[in-house]
Amino acid sequence: MQTNQDITKDITYTDFKKEILNDYTIAVTSRECSLLGRREVLTGKAKFGIFGDGKEIPQLAWAKAFKNGDFRSGYYRDQTFMMAIGQLTIEQFFAGLYAHADIKNDPMSAGRQMGGHFGTHSLDENYNWKDLTKQKNSSADISPTAGQMPRLLGLAQASKIYRNVKGINTTNFSVKGNEVAWGTIGNASTSEGLFFETINAAGVLQVPMVISVWDDEYGISVHARHQTTKENISEILKGFQRDDKGNGYEILRVKGWDYVELINTYEKASEIARQEHVPVLIHVDELTQPQGHSTSGSHERYKSADRLKWEKEHDCISKLREWIVSNDIATEEELTTIDKNLKRKVREGKKAAWNAFITPIKEEQQQLISLLNKVASSSSNKVFINKLTNDLQAIDEPLRKDIASTARKTLRYIAFENSNEKQQLISWIDNYFAVNQPKYSSLLYSESKKCATNIDEVKPSYNEDAELVDGRIIIRDNFDKIFSNYPEALIFGEDSGTIGDVNQGLEGLQEKYGELRISDAGIREATILGQGIGMAMRGLRPIAEIQYLDYLLYALQIISDDLATLHYRTLGKQKAPMIIRTRGHRLEGIWHSGSQMGGILNLVRGIHVLVPRNMTKAAGFYNTLLESDQPALVVECLNGYRLKEKMPNNVGTFKTPIGVVETVKEGNDITLVSYGSTLRIVEEVAKELLEVGIDAEIIDIQSLLPFDLNHDIVKSIAKTNRLMVIDEDVPGGASAYILNKIIEEQNAYDYLDSKPQTLAAKEHRPAYGSDGDYFSKPSNEDIFEAVYNVMHEVNPEDYPKLR
């Protein structure tokens, strides 16, 4: 069941009629899924439903213009389109609604996303790229409104890169850059800043992108008059219309129930975007939403009787039906017969999906009940165990949580007993979690052969007369090697191109490699990230540069909700191995030396967060990451570009290991753990501590996510028996994360003779100037006195109190 031919082209009348009736079949099937899906939620079989009813006909027209190799970046109303391109069956639709945790049943996300969130498989079973040019592609949806827009920009830009940059192996990814990236968004969501940022960026870049705005006049209960100036998104975007004065958009407007005109409009949009690489906006208005926004409420509460009457009259399927009958393509009776058959087919598909979902869980339920009966027969708490068993047996449609919860509660009643049945239950529970936990928790990070943590370290090597150079020279020359060795690599950001970034780490590289590979971007961090995500999803190796760490906050939602979750929410069927390059740590002033690290660490699980202490370490991280398939954030030291480092003789090939700490100074009295620019202060203080007889061991964390995979820090603490974490973030920020890793995960508590300490910055941002830094973040004296006070507590005679 998928749409194929364009009925505006020269085809036989038989094929013409067949195609129209096929489209009608898809539309009605989708509508019946929506209607029955809502009932499944209201009866409790599904948790929540959000459907595409009312948008069926424009999505059929869109599907006709969508070619192999194209990409969709949409939202949770696009079920008809997915059915029309042959990527969503009735059974799969309901499997997603039931959250079936099996990729074969729910190929969109294996139950990890709510229904209505769609994606196709870009990777095979071994996490290698499939041939994306021979399939119709959909990037995995996210729920946050307009969050799909930045990624759309990158998906479109990839075609421009493939068409215009020589030397890239396009196999599996592009055919002469002819692919179009198609985005969809609701009219209310066009109020989001991410939409406008993407619109502007695409107009500047001139990429093959088509955005469909599904306009049904409402955003949940809020009418367009509260959403959009003039209540009309295409009207207020007229200034973006291309003309003889400059590049811009082609802006098209079409009614959402006009079948023939929709097909003409989408064919026109496809041709413009595909051939000319010009972005297109299609404003599809006069759409309806027959069941309201979602299953969380009824639209009768906020729509007037006149509006509801209008929606019934202008329902796109009803309009298509009228058109079919008036043009003698089919009679009312014939269409009614089709409707009845489809209702039955959807009910059967729903039933098959439910049975596939519930049957294995019921089998697990019966397995546990059988075991619990044995446990009860040998237990003095038989009465209580029987109650748990009976309660579980009474659940007609159990979930796995019901089963696991019952098994674990039973253990409480036999905690003091010792029987074979108890051991069998413990083994059953352990096995149950071993089998089922990965269905809900696996693949947050890459588990492929190209996993970043599998890549071995290659140390920088030096000539005997190695020159001392500014750190920026090392990072620059390393990037030069990267762009020479990886034709698919490119970097972009604010000031990255013409001047070679604000610290000259890319000096001269735009002239050497061209403006498409080393490029400037506007002040628009979210879409800079989006460029990276989209291009990485299409096989390129983008490095998205955010000028300063502070500005990462503009893009944090995109990193957190889209990039960090992509591999997880597709069960390893999509990836975006992009690199985010930024610079931070201690400079001067509220805006360029504040640390958001604690917030970042807690919001971006799913990408690696790397904090090199110098430019050699940073360069090594880039070399490692480009051999891997894992997205990462690299935070260079903002005050390290002019510091002198020895020039390695193997630039471009040395690799810094990920998830591995480095002991930069050995000692016996206390373990000092830090990273980034603060680590250099710790090194200075360690020399001064030696003068008073304190021999500190210093460990550079290097990699915050993942953290010390070899547990080397606890090995140090086993020797020194004391720990201090020194961090420039606010109290309870990154230092709390680090302490949790060391104390709880590495069990360092067993070796501590003194209370573990953290030394962080003040709660406020640093005031401007060197004094602001001194009184806001850990200073030389702060660190010295904090370490000294620990030793004073240990041995007050040798280390009398300072103050």
Side-chain angles (χ1 to χ4, degrees):
M1 182 182 67
Q2 73 184 82
T3 190
N4 293 300
Q5 292 174 304
D6 179 353
I7 64 166
T8 64
K9 304 298 183 185
D10 293 331
I11 58 174
T12 67
Y13 180 75
T14 300
D15 287 341
F16 172 80
K17 178 178 178 179
K18 180 181 178 182
E19 186 61 21
I20 290 170
L21 293 179
N22 182 60
D23 281 354
Y24 179 80
T25 297
I26 296 170
V28 174
T29 299
S30 179
R31 177 65 62 85
E32 288 300 321
C33 284
S34 296
L35 296 172
L36 191 52
R38 181 180 179 86
R39 287 198 287 272
E40 290 297 278
V41 174
L42 298 180
T43 57
K45 282 187 175 179
K47 294 285 288 185
F48 180 77
I50 194 159
F51 307 110
D53 46 310
K55 283 60 176 186
E56 292 92 351
I57 305 308
Q59 291 183 25
L60 290 170
W62 167 27
K64 291 180 185 298
F66 196 91
K67 309 297 183 186
N68 283 348
D70 286 1
F71 260 88
R72 166 190 169 273
S73 182
Y75 83 132
Y76 40 73
R77 303 290 184 197
D78 295 344
Q79 71 196 46
T80 307
F81 169 79
M82 294 299 290
M83 290 178 175
I85 64 170
Q87 294 293 327
L88 181 67
T89 66
I90 296 168
E91 290 80 2
Q92 290 166 350
F93 171 88
F94 284 101
L97 191 66
Y98 300 140
H100 195 149
D102 187 326
I103 198 71
K104 294 177 182 177
N105 295 86
D106 174 22
M108 305 301 142
S109 74
R112 294 186 173 188
Q113 297 217 86
M114 71 174 72
H117 291 68
F118 307 112
T120 53
H121 295 185
S122 299
L123 308 178
D124 64 20
E125 297 302 317
N126 296 313
Y127 312 107
N128 297 314
W129 291 106
K130 299 171 68 177
D131 190 341
L132 305 184
T133 68
K134 293 181 179 178
Q135 64 181 42
K136 294 178 170 65
N137 304 286
S138 174
S139 57
D141 293 337
I142 57 175
S143 291
T145 52
Q148 72 273 27
M149 289 291 104
R151 177 209 319 145
L152 173 66
L153 179 67
L155 291 169
Q157 188 182 3
S159 290
K160 183 172 184 176
I161 298 299
Y162 282 126
R163 179 175 287 185
N164 295 288
V165 175
K166 293 180 171 57
I168 302 177
N169 182 0
T170 62
T171 304
N172 293 343
F173 302 115
S174 181
V175 179
K176 299 179 181 179
N178 292 332
E179 302 78 22
V180 173
W182 303 80
T184 64
I185 189 169
N187 59 296
S189 294
T190 62
S191 300
E192 292 277 12
L194 292 175
F195 172 79
F196 281 96
E197 188 173 320
T198 303
I199 287 285
N200 181 60
V204 171
L205 291 171
Q206 289 291 284
V207 292
M209 180 179 97
V210 181
I211 296 179
S212 297
V213 179
W214 307 141
D215 188 352
D216 55 28
E217 288 197 17
Y218 285 85
I220 308 183
S221 67
V222 180
H223 190 269
R225 65 179 174 272
H226 302 298
Q227 304 275 5
T228 309
T229 303
K230 299 184 179 181
E231 300 181 31
N232 190 320
I233 189 63
S234 58
E235 182 69 21
I236 65 173
L237 291 177
K238 277 184 176 179
F240 285 88
Q241 175 67 50
R242 61 176 179 161
D243 53 30
D244 55 6
K245 295 180 181 179
N247 292 328
Y249 275 74
E250 190 64 34
I251 300 177
L252 308 173
R253 189 170 180 180
V254 62
K255 297 187 186 310
W257 46 263
D258 191 336
Y259 179 63
V260 175
E261 191 55 35
L262 281 162
I263 292 172
N264 289 328
T265 300
Y266 274 91
E267 187 62 32
K268 180 179 179 180
S270 174
E271 186 174 340
I272 292 170
R274 203 176 303 280
Q275 294 181 10
E276 302 178 50
H277 275 199
V278 169
V280 182
L281 182 133
I282 305 176
H283 182 188
V284 185
D285 64 355
E286 294 197 13
L287 285 169
T288 66
Q289 200 153 274
Q291 298 186 110
H293 174 74
S294 69
T295 55
S296 61
S298 171
H299 64 155
E300 284 85 358
R301 292 186 301 158
Y302 52 85
K303 289 179 182 175
S304 68
D306 287 344
R307 173 67 191 187
L308 292 169
K309 180 174 180 290
W310 181 92
E311 288 199 4
K312 186 174 182 180
E313 293 170 350
H314 288 78
D315 182 274
C316 61
I317 295 181
S318 296
K319 285 286 189 180
L320 176 60
R321 186 185 181 101
E322 291 173 10
W323 181 83
I324 290 172
V325 173
S326 66
N327 284 277
D328 296 325
I329 296 167
T331 66
E332 283 281 2
E333 291 74 17
E334 289 171 329
L335 295 180
T336 298
T337 299
I338 291 174
D339 292 350
K340 290 179 179 178
N341 290 335
L342 291 176
K343 284 180 182 289
R344 184 179 68 254
K345 186 177 180 181
V346 171
R347 285 196 302 269
E348 291 170 351
K350 184 270 298 184
K351 183 178 180 181
W354 177 252
N355 287 336
F357 169 74
I358 200 66
T359 298
I361 300 178
K362 283 191 168 184
E363 290 172 355
E364 294 163 13
Q365 177 193 35
Q366 293 307 313
Q367 289 170 6
L368 179 60
I369 288 171
S370 177
L371 177 56
L372 293 185
N373 286 331
K374 294 179 183 178
V375 172
S377 66
S378 64
S379 173
S380 58
N381 286 311
K382 179 178 181 178
V383 173
F384 300 105
I385 297 172
N386 282 340
K387 184 180 185 308
L388 288 174
T389 306
N390 293 335
D391 288 346
L392 179 60
Q393 181 75 66
I395 302 175
D396 291 331
E397 296 167 347
L399 297 176
R400 288 197 169 97
K401 76 180 185 69
D402 300 317
I403 298 168
S405 175
T406 301
R408 296 169 77 180
K409 286 180 178 178
T410 301
L411 280 181
R412 302 174 190 177
Y413 291 112
I414 56 175
F416 295 98
E417 298 177 8
N418 188 15
S419 66
N420 290 333
E421 289 78 9
K422 175 183 177 180
Q423 294 306 313
Q424 290 176 28
L425 179 59
I426 292 172
S427 296
W428 190 94
I429 293 172
D430 290 344
N431 182 66
Y432 197 72
F433 275 87
V435 170
N436 288 299
Q437 189 70 55
K439 294 176 181 177
Y440 308 96
S441 302
S442 63
L443 292 166
L444 179 60
Y445 298 94
S446 170
E447 296 179 15
S448 76
K449 293 179 180 178
K450 293 184 177 180
C451 173
T453 54
N454 289 339
I455 296 173
D456 294 332
E457 178 180 16
V458 176
K459 292 183 179 295
S461 58
Y462 302 91
N463 297 330
E464 288 186 8
D465 58 348
E467 183 182 3
L468 284 173
V469 298
D470 288 347
R472 73 173 189 89
I473 301 298
I474 296 172
I475 204 87
R476 180 200 67 187
D477 289 1
N478 195 77
F479 275 131
D480 190 8
K481 291 287 187 181
I482 284 173
F483 297 124
S484 176
N485 294 335
Y486 294 91
E488 66 276 19
L490 61 157
I491 192 167
F492 44 91
E494 298 156 17
D495 299 304
S496 300
T498 303
I499 68 170
D501 88 40
V502 289
N503 298 99
Q504 284 76 60
L506 299 168
E507 181 186 27
L509 298 186
Q510 185 182 79
E511 184 177 352
K512 184 172 182 178
Y513 295 103
E515 292 186 8
L516 287 177
R517 293 190 66 196
I518 318 293
S519 50
D520 287 309
I523 300 176
R524 47 174 182 80
E525 286 78 11
T527 45
I528 290 173
L529 257 295
Q531 286 176 253
I533 296 170
M535 286 193 281
M537 292 184 76
R538 292 191 57 194
L540 296 170
R541 295 309 305 263
I543 302 171
E545 182 168 321
I546 301 299
Q547 194 167 83
Y548 298 111
L549 181 65
D550 312 66
Y551 302 163
L552 197 73
L553 296 185
Y554 286 100
L556 194 53
Q557 185 259 326
I558 299 302
I559 301 171
S560 178
D561 292 333
D562 197 355
L563 178 62
T565 67
L566 177 64
H567 201 56
Y568 168 80
R569 73 179 189 269
T570 62
L571 197 68
K573 296 304 181 184
Q574 292 185 5
K575 64 181 177 181
M578 67 171 291
I579 300 171
I580 306 166
R581 180 196 183 204
T582 190
R583 48 195 64 82
H585 305 302
R586 311 172 69 131
L587 187 61
E588 292 182 353
I590 289 176
W591 305 118
H592 291 330
S593 57
S595 177
Q596 301 82 23
M597 199 61 70
I600 290 169
L601 287 171
N602 287 301
L603 289 170
V604 303
R605 305 297 171 92
I607 73 170
H608 289 338
V609 176
L610 311 174
V611 282
R613 69 179 181 272
N614 58 38
M615 297 305 148
T616 302
K617 290 289 184 180
F621 276 137
Y622 292 120
N623 296 337
T624 300
L625 290 169
L626 283 164
E627 286 192 13
S628 82
D629 58 1
Q630 174 67 42
L633 166 67
V634 180
V635 185
E636 298 170 10
C637 291
L638 185 51
N639 55 7
Y641 295 101
R642 303 292 172 180
L643 295 180
K644 299 298 182 182
E645 299 180 37
K646 284 171 41 175
M647 187 70 184
N649 59 21
N650 59 340
V651 168
T653 60
F654 61 82
K655 293 188 277 288
T656 308
I658 290 175
V660 179
V661 302
E662 181 180 356
T663 301
V664 297
K665 177 191 174 299
E666 294 190 357
N668 297 303
D669 294 327
I670 188 171
T671 299
L672 306 181
V673 176
S674 190
Y675 62 90
S677 295
T678 300
L679 188 98
R680 290 200 295 270
I681 302 176
V682 174
E683 288 184 278
E684 294 171 3
V685 172
K687 297 175 184 176
E688 299 171 10
L689 287 168
L690 283 172
E691 296 173 3
V692 295
I694 301 173
D695 187 10
E697 183 146 299
I698 303 175
I699 294 180
D700 180 7
I701 293 169
Q702 300 196 108
S703 170
L704 286 164
L705 285 175
F707 184 90
D708 189 11
L709 297 176
N710 298 327
H711 289 192
D712 288 326
I713 294 177
V714 74
K715 296 171 189 173
S716 172
I717 295 169
K719 176 176 63 174
T720 67
N721 307 121
R722 280 170 280 278
L723 168 67
M724 182 174 292
V725 175
I726 303 162
D727 174 43
E728 62 173 328
D729 198 9
V730 296
S735 57
Y737 162 82
I738 295 165
L739 199 63
N740 169 267
K741 289 288 185 179
I742 298 171
I743 300 298
E744 288 198 27
E745 288 193 15
Q746 299 189 12
N747 295 316
Y749 186 82
D750 293 342
Y751 303 102
L752 288 169
D753 291 338
S754 299
K755 181 179 74 172
Q757 304 269 348
T758 62
L759 178 62
K762 299 296 187 288
E763 292 188 349
H764 54 76
R765 297 284 184 95
Y768 178 63
S770 297
D771 283 346
D773 178 83
Y774 183 84
F775 286 98
S776 302
K777 294 198 172 186
S779 67
N780 178 301
E781 290 72 33
D782 291 333
I783 298 169
F784 184 97
E785 291 176 6
V787 174
Y788 186 94
N789 287 340
V790 171
M791 301 308 296
H792 163 73
E793 182 182 355
V794 174
N795 188 344
E797 290 187 4
D798 289 350
Y799 304 103
K801 192 171 184 179
L802 288 176
R803 63 185 177 95

